[in-house]
Every structure is written in C-alpha cells, then in structure tokens.
Amino acid sequence: MAVAATALPSLDVSSTVKMYIREVGRRARDRFEPNADRSFTADIAGHLQVAAEHAHMGTELPPGTRLRGAKHAVLRGARSVTYYQVRYNRAVLEALAELELATGASVPGGVAAAVASFEVQLQELAERMDTTVAAAHAARDAAVAEVDRARAEVRHLRAEVVEVRQRHTRTESELRQLRSLQDLVLREVRQAGGLPLGESGLTEVSRRLDHRFDDLYQDLEDTFRGSREHVRSLVAEYVADVKAAADGGGSVVDIGCGRGEWLEVLRDADITAYGVDLNETFVEANTARGLDVRVGDALEHLRSVEPSSLAAVTAFHVAEHLAMDDLVELVDASLRALRPGGVLVMETPNPVNLRVGATQFYIDPTHLKPLHPQFLEFLVTSRGFVDVQLRYLHPMSDPPLTVDALGDADPAGAAQLIEVLNWALFGPQDFAVLGRKVT
C-alpha cells in the first residue's frame, strides 16, 4: 500500500479516495446477495480492524521501545515522506468500512434493490438506444432515397436538355435548308418572268428545282463510272438472259438507264427496249443518240404499264439509291409488270469486296446504303420470283497476292489466307440477282 509522498500533494486525500472506493463498490455490488453470510461480513470487519492498527505506517512508537529519543528523531525526519501515505491509508480504510456496512446484512435487500434499479435503468437505456439507432437508420435510408431521387431527376433533366439542344440544332438546320430553298425558288421565279405565276409557271419552277443537279450528276458518272465503251462491255453479258425472255414477246424496260449503254447493247442485239430516268440531262443525251428514253419515276412507270406485258425489267446500279420500302415495291411492281417467263435483272455494288464497301461505294453521294448479296437474293426470292441466281461480277484488275509473299512457313495455310485476301480485296466489284416470273 506504499505511495510516494508527492503523489497527492494538492488533493483532499480523504474525499478523493472515498469517491473512488464508493464507485468501485457501486460497480461490485452485484457480487453480493441480499442476505449475505454474516460470517463473511464479520471476516471483512476483522481484516479492516487489523489494517487500521497498522495504518500509521510506523509513525508512532510502540510502548516500551528502546532508544525512543533517537527513534523519535528519525520519525520526525521521515514525516515529510510518511504524512500523505498515512492519510491515504486511513482514507482507504474508512471507505472500505463504509462499503462493508453498505453490503452487510444489516441493510437487508438494499443491494438487491439497487441492482434491480440499475438493471431497469440499463434496460431503459438500451431500449432508448435501439429506438435512437433505428430512427437514425430510417433517417439515413430516407436521406439516401432522397439523394437517389434527386440524382435521377438531375439525369432526367440533363437528358431533356440534351434532347432540346438536339431539336434546336435540327430546327436551325431545317431553317437553313428552307431559306436556301426559298432563295432557289425566288431565283427560278425571277428567271420565269417574275410574279405572279400561274399553275404552269409554278410547275416549271418545281421541275427546275428537282433537276438542278442533273448536269452535275452526269459529270460524276463520266468521271467515276468509266467510259461508255467500258460499261457496254460489262453489261453485254446479260444479252443472252434477256433475249431468251424477249423472244416470247414484250419489251425490255431499263429503270434508271443513265447514259444509255445497256440500251445501245440491246439495240445492237435487235431487242426492243426503252429506258426511264429522272435525270433530264441523261434523257436529252440518250434521245440525241436515237434511243427511246423517257423522263419519269421508275415505280410510277412500272405501276402504269399493263400487267404481264414486259419481257424484262433491268436496273443497273439503282437498288443502292432506294429506301427499303421503295426497293421492295420495285421488286413487286416488276413482278406484276413482267409476263410469265419474264426476267428481272438487278446489279449493284458488291460490299463483300472491302475496298468497294468501305470506300468506293461512297463516291456517289446519292447512294443510301450497300446491299448484301444474300439479302438481295433473299428479297427477290421471297417476293415470288423463281430460278433466282446470284452472280458475282467484275473482279478488280489489280494483280492478286501470291503465296510467295508470305514465305514458306506454312504453304497450305498461306494459300488459304491468300485466297481469302484476294477475294476480300481484289474480288468482284459488283453482283447481280436475276429472277424469273413463273410461267
């Protein structure tokens, strides 16, 4: 129980020690039963009595001590060390005595009542804590849900802002187009003699607007389609197919006849044929060559002819200009217009050739989309034609790759790879689908 003299220099030792001992006792009371054994409490009291007799820590001399004077001098010299220790010892003993009295049998049921009260308070505190925690969790969940709702609302508002901006951009583009068209209309009206215009004058203005790029498109064809002689050599291979159908009667109509190379080949083969095209520049040039070519829309023309009257309908590089609805209607209208045994011929760029599908197809800005060979073959078959053929045409003139370019590591694998590459890069630039109307 020794404590240094400087440990409690400025405290009320008695009250401080008693406070600590009482707190220890309060926390330890649940160890005692209400009717504790009196022998146990008596034993505690006895030990406390013995401790009290020695609490002075040698600051007093027992009676009959020899050399009392000298020893008193020593005790006085050590008092600065023993003073606080003695006070501490006595304070501890007093607090323990009070604790022994509080837990003794002289206060029956007191400890049990205190413990029960303490347990009730603990239970109430635990319930309050559970309620508080549950409320905090609910508040947190509500806050998280509100944050999520706010974020969703922000995302929705951002999407609406993006959509409004896109609509605004489209509207501005449409307005620019309308202003451009308005300028064209006014220019054509002024060239027609000024306002007011009658119905015929407005029709003429509309016609001029529809055909204002005809000359430009003719120049495009002359530049990229190839020479007339070259195109004639390409389309000549269809003469046998068409002649077999034409021998049974009826004319051949070439839809979108362009520069008229195919019509010239048919004329040279003594096959009756005429062409239809929307481009007035093409029509005028073909007419000057003595060919029968008419200005008109392909679908409208096919709908206007007598059913089952034509020997053949041909359309070279027309399908890629049409929307899906118009393409299907072109096939249906051709089937209606052809006589039994008549033939439909459709040629278009081959996108399976990577160089055609990825680059050359887009030289013509009026092309809508490439058509896969298998799709066009399926379309013609599904709309009622029979004996449908798919032909790959006009391979590129570039020299193909050879096995030597890949070395001798795997000759068989190299040959297979070279074959695939040659087909994809140097293979047919065009393909044709031919179908016959059932007899």
Side-chain angles (χ1 to χ4, degrees):
M1 193 180 290
V3 177
T6 59
L8 299 168
S10 61
L11 296 175
D12 183 348
V13 175
S14 177
S15 62
T16 301
V17 170
K18 288 180 179 180
M19 178 184 69
Y20 287 146
I21 295 298
R22 290 191 188 102
E23 178 64 18
V24 171
R26 184 185 67 78
R27 298 184 181 184
R29 281 171 189 164
D30 57 354
R31 296 177 179 270
F32 299 96
E33 297 295 333
N35 298 317
D37 187 355
R38 289 184 178 276
S39 64
F40 175 71
T41 57
D43 187 55
I44 293 176
H47 286 293
L48 289 176
Q49 180 63 35
V50 173
E53 294 174 357
H54 296 84
H56 57 78
M57 192 187 167
T59 57
E60 300 176 4
L61 295 176
T65 302
R66 299 176 61 185
L67 302 174
R68 293 179 62 88
K71 292 180 178 179
H72 270 296
V74 172
L75 291 177
R76 283 194 301 270
R79 185 158 299 169
S80 61
V81 176
T82 62
Y83 175 75
Y84 287 106
Q85 183 66 56
V86 171
R87 291 185 62 191
Y88 180 84
N89 293 346
R90 287 174 178 169
V92 169
L93 291 173
E94 290 176 5
L96 290 174
E98 292 179 5
L99 179 62
E100 186 274 335
L101 177 62
T103 59
S106 59
V107 190
V111 174
V115 170
S117 175
F118 182 66
E119 289 178 346
V120 170
Q121 294 179 20
L122 283 178
Q123 181 64 28
E124 291 177 351
L125 179 61
E127 292 175 354
R128 287 198 299 271
M129 286 294 294
D130 290 342
T131 302
T132 302
V133 170
H137 287 172
R140 180 201 62 190
D141 293 342
V144 170
E146 182 64 20
V147 170
D148 291 342
R149 187 199 62 77
R151 287 175 175 170
E153 183 67 19
V154 169
R155 288 194 296 268
H156 178 71
L157 291 175
R158 286 176 176 171
E160 288 186 344
V161 169
V162 171
E163 183 179 355
V164 169
R165 287 176 176 170
Q166 291 175 345
R167 287 202 302 265
H168 177 69
T169 300
R170 290 195 299 267
T171 301
E172 286 186 334
S173 177
E174 291 173 356
L175 285 175
R176 287 193 296 269
Q177 293 176 7
L178 288 174
R179 291 192 184 104
S180 177
L181 181 60
Q182 180 185 42
D183 293 341
L184 287 172
V185 171
L186 291 176
R187 184 164 61 249
E188 293 296 336
V189 167
R190 284 193 294 269
Q191 292 178 358
L195 296 173
L197 288 175
E199 182 177 350
S200 61
L202 291 175
T203 300
E204 175 62 20
V205 169
S206 177
R207 188 195 65 78
R208 291 185 182 182
L209 292 174
D210 289 339
H211 296 280
R212 64 185 183 276
F213 295 128
D214 286 359
D215 292 344
L216 176 63
Y217 196 77
Q218 182 185 42
D219 293 339
L220 180 71
E221 287 281 294
D222 291 341
T223 301
F224 296 104
R225 176 69 169 148
S227 67
R228 294 176 54 81
E229 291 72 19
H230 174 67
V231 174
R232 281 170 57 93
S233 67
L234 296 180
V235 298
E237 62 187 271
Y238 298 103
V239 170
D241 301 297
V242 172
K243 186 172 180 58
D247 288 343
S251 298
V252 176
V253 58
D254 187 27
I255 300 300
C257 60
R259 298 184 301 182
E261 295 94 342
W262 172 234
L263 292 176
E264 290 180 336
V265 170
L266 292 174
R267 182 182 60 186
D268 295 344
D270 295 324
I271 298 174
T272 303
Y274 66 94
V276 177
D277 203 296
L278 283 171
N279 189 308
E280 292 185 348
T281 301
F282 284 149
V283 173
E284 292 174 359
N286 286 321
T287 301
R289 295 188 185 97
L291 300 173
D292 182 2
V293 179
R294 309 159 192 182
V295 176
D297 177 81
L299 292 176
E300 292 179 0
H301 180 77
L302 289 174
R303 286 193 293 261
S304 68
V305 302
E306 289 292 327
S308 302
S309 62
L310 298 177
V313 175
T314 58
F316 293 95
H317 293 256
V318 172
E320 66 271 19
H321 295 264
L322 302 179
M324 181 64 183
D325 292 346
D326 291 336
L327 179 60
V328 174
E329 188 173 355
L330 175 62
V331 176
D332 291 345
S334 298
L335 185 64
R336 171 190 170 277
L338 288 170
R339 64 169 182 76
V343 64
L344 170 67
V345 178
M346 301 179 71
E347 183 181 292
T348 187
N350 177 26
V352 178
N353 182 316
L354 299 182
R355 295 165 68 184
V356 172
T359 60
Q360 295 178 359
F361 180 87
Y362 299 99
I363 292 176
D364 188 338
T366 63
H367 287 175
L368 291 185
K369 58 183 179 299
L371 297 170
H372 196 280
Q374 292 177 339
F375 165 72
L376 195 56
E377 179 185 28
F378 160 79
L379 178 62
V380 172
T381 302
S382 67
R383 305 311 288 184
F385 284 89
V386 298
D387 300 332
V388 177
Q389 301 178 34
L390 172 60
R391 298 180 186 175
Y392 289 98
L393 308 163
H394 317 142
M396 289 189 167
S397 58
D398 307 61
L401 299 174
T402 63
V403 176
D404 295 338
L406 298 180
D408 300 328
D410 181 9
Q416 183 178 11
L417 177 60
I418 288 297
E419 182 179 359
V420 172
L421 290 175
N422 281 334
W423 173 264
L425 299 176
F426 307 107
Q429 301 177 76
D430 305 307
F431 72 92
V433 172
L434 291 78
R436 183 174 55 83
K437 184 173 180 178
V438 66
T439 55

